[in-house]
Amino acid sequence: MTDSLMLETFDFITAYFGVLLGRCTLLSFFLFPLILLLRKAFRKNVFLRGMPWGLLLVAPFLGKLRLLYEEELFCRWMDCWNVPCTDHWWIRYGYALVKHMP
């Protein structure tokens, strides 16, 4: 691999994962109140109070929903993260580096 091909590949990978993980983060902000509401509804049973936290495991898959790519409302809503992440290299590299620091 040449240096430019390797840098372009790394640039693509950071943009892809930055956009995908950013979408998951945005969707998690709406899942969190739902989780708290379900925990209140199931306050009698300890097992059922813990189950709503499993909704966060679904968030990475929700970031790839076809609905988010095709519907105009969701496209505009997600553009607040997609556009800066794809247009500015320092945002996607910063997100990739800071996200994986110990």
Side-chain angles (χ1 to χ4, degrees):
M1 275 187 167
T2 63
D3 288 338
S4 63
L5 180 61
M6 193 152 52
L7 286 176
E8 287 179 16
T9 304
F10 185 67
D11 196 38
F12 174 76
I13 290 170
T14 55
Y16 176 75
F17 282 113
V19 167
L20 185 64
L21 294 174
R23 285 179 177 213
C24 294
T25 305
L26 288 173
L27 290 171
S28 295
F29 283 116
F30 293 102
L31 284 177
F32 190 65
L34 178 66
I35 290 169
L36 293 179
L37 184 68
L38 288 172
R39 281 181 54 84
K40 260 190 185 190
F42 298 134
R43 65 179 156 222
K44 301 280 186 199
N45 192 334
V46 175
F47 178 72
L48 290 177
R49 283 190 71 179
M51 293 253 327
W53 290 106
L55 290 174
L56 289 176
L57 297 174
V58 180
F61 301 105
L62 291 177
K64 292 180 132 186
L65 279 179
R66 189 174 168 187
L67 176 75
L68 296 177
Y69 291 99
E70 293 181 356
E71 289 295 321
E72 186 178 338
L73 174 71
F74 291 112
C75 285
R76 281 188 282 145
W77 179 55
M78 290 294 176
D79 276 348
C80 68
W81 177 252
N82 295 348
V83 171
C85 195
T86 55
D87 289 348
H88 304 291
W89 65 269
W90 53 275
I91 292 176
R92 62 178 167 259
Y93 285 111
Y95 185 78
L97 292 175
V98 172
K99 183 75 173 166
H100 299 294
M101 287 182 127

